[in-house]
Amino acid sequence: GELQLNSSLLQDKVSFVFGSSHDKETGISKTYDRDDEGIVGSLIGNGTSIYQISGIYAQTDISFLKNLTTTLGARYDRVSYDWQDDFSPDSSNTSANTSIAAVSPKFGIAYNPWERLTIFGNIGRGFNPPEMDQLFSSDSESNPDLKPEYLTNYEVGFRGGLGYRINYQISAFQMDFVDQVVKDEDTEFYENIGDTEHNGVEATINALVLPNMMVYLNYSHLKTAFVDHPLYEGNILVKTPENQVGAGLRLTLFNDLTMNLDYKWLDKFFMDNEELHVYQGHSIVHAKVNYS
């Protein structure tokens, strides 16, 4: 649920937002043995799980004068895990329950020197708890020592429009991860690899070239690196292409008929932390026609 309040304080516009959320997921996990040809064999793991995340948040926006707005907010989340191993005997049973909690604050500022231009900046701290199947497995191979990853995000940029047919946004960001979670390609387990740094630039533009035709173009540049890993310090994170480009077209022929054409290009990236194997990237095109 969410509650929003608006008021005037010393001639400044102030708004408050309070809210809460709750999500509960239950699951049944079964694992079967497979031979070298992939034929399913006997049951080797069986368990039930309950994953719950509850959060409360508050945010205030204060508009100074007519063209300056600041945002202050914070969110508190608590995640609980309950895993019941219904297969393994007492000596190797992985049944367990645990919980994680975190506070995520944020601060933002937006300045409008002109009606169609906004200069903005944001600082925030994020929290990504592990998923149930990253901690526990139905084949009795648990991973209870996995910690959540935290990130601090810094972003500055500007957005606006040229007339009312063209909209654009350009921003630069830095994300500092602590205890980032990745999947080990050899063991298939998720693990905390330590601190990493992500720096990049994103740009997008949308244009209404005709009353029934919209086109867009976006580009992102990303640099990632291990910060404190004893083996990979300075190396690039796996599966993080340095450059990505997207473009698309949306055409409305009649009220009920639309056509979409989308293109995406991914730069090459490393497939391992040692930077030995390189995937050369790819291009992909999607075409879609919708009729209601």
Side-chain angles (χ1 to χ4, degrees):
E2 186 173 281
L3 172 65
Q4 182 168 342
L5 303 174
N6 296 286
S7 65
S8 177
L9 179 64
L10 299 177
Q11 297 182 348
D12 296 332
K13 295 180 180 179
V14 180
S15 66
F16 300 92
V17 177
F18 306 92
S20 64
S21 62
H22 179 77
D23 183 49
K24 179 179 180 180
E25 299 177 7
T26 59
I28 299 174
S29 179
K30 295 180 182 291
T31 303
Y32 293 86
D33 192 18
R34 292 177 182 267
D35 61 20
D36 294 337
E37 297 180 353
I39 304 301
V40 177
S42 58
L43 182 71
I44 60 173
N46 182 26
T48 56
S49 63
I50 300 176
Y51 171 90
Q52 298 186 79
I53 179 168
S54 301
I56 56 173
Y57 58 89
Q59 178 175 304
T60 178
D61 295 316
I62 305 175
S63 299
F64 297 94
L65 305 176
K66 293 183 179 180
N67 55 2
L68 182 64
T69 302
T70 61
T71 299
L72 286 170
R75 180 181 179 94
Y76 172 81
D77 289 290
R78 185 179 186 277
V79 187
S80 63
Y81 307 84
D82 189 351
W83 166 251
Q84 179 64 45
D85 186 346
D86 300 322
F87 182 83
S88 304
D90 293 340
S91 59
S92 59
N93 193 280
T94 61
S95 298
N97 58 75
T98 186
S99 62
I100 302 170
V103 176
S104 304
K106 68 176 181 179
F107 170 77
I109 187 168
Y111 174 62
N112 297 95
W114 302 294
E115 181 182 359
R116 297 284 289 167
L117 177 64
T118 301
I119 302 171
F120 63 89
N122 301 294
I123 302 175
R125 180 174 172 82
F127 163 69
N128 291 325
E131 297 180 12
M132 179 66 76
D133 60 359
Q134 295 175 348
L135 289 172
F136 305 104
S137 173
S138 63
D139 58 3
S140 301
E141 295 185 13
S142 62
N143 192 22
D145 295 329
L146 186 67
K147 296 181 291 185
E149 64 180 15
Y150 300 88
L151 68 96
T152 304
N153 181 58
Y154 308 89
E155 182 184 23
V156 293
F158 59 91
R159 58 179 176 265
L162 302 175
Y164 291 91
R165 289 181 175 269
I166 299 177
N167 296 304
Y168 61 86
Q169 176 169 315
I170 301 175
S171 61
F173 63 87
Q174 176 177 319
M175 294 186 294
D176 298 327
F177 282 82
V178 176
D179 292 327
Q180 184 164 8
V181 176
V182 298
K183 185 177 183 179
D184 189 292
E185 300 298 333
D186 295 325
T187 65
E188 297 293 315
F189 271 90
Y190 289 87
E191 62 179 352
N192 298 105
I193 59 173
D195 300 349
T196 64
E197 186 175 281
H198 304 232
N199 296 285
V201 176
E202 295 180 335
T204 183
I205 184 170
N206 300 281
L208 185 66
V209 296
L210 294 172
N212 64 337
M213 181 186 294
M214 173 72 74
V215 297
Y216 77 86
L217 177 67
N218 57 55
Y219 168 75
S220 66
H221 177 78
L222 177 65
K223 285 281 192 178
T224 64
F226 290 90
V227 175
D228 61 350
H229 198 284
L231 298 178
Y232 310 129
E233 183 173 351
N235 287 13
I236 298 173
L237 273 69
V238 299
K239 299 180 181 179
T240 54
E242 185 172 333
N243 299 287
Q244 296 186 55
V245 175
L249 179 149
R250 177 184 174 88
L251 181 64
T252 303
L253 298 179
F254 308 103
N255 291 335
D256 301 322
L257 180 63
T258 60
M259 300 178 63
N260 295 270
L261 186 64
D262 297 286
Y263 168 80
K264 188 172 185 179
W265 172 77
L266 269 68
D267 201 357
K268 61 183 180 181
F269 53 80
F270 290 106
M271 297 295 293
D272 55 86
N273 294 328
E274 293 84 359
E275 299 186 351
L276 299 177
H277 303 92
V278 179
Y279 177 72
Q280 293 301 323
H282 65 260
S283 296
I284 189 168
V285 175
H286 290 284
K288 182 170 63 175
V289 177
N290 291 336
Y291 177 73
S292 300

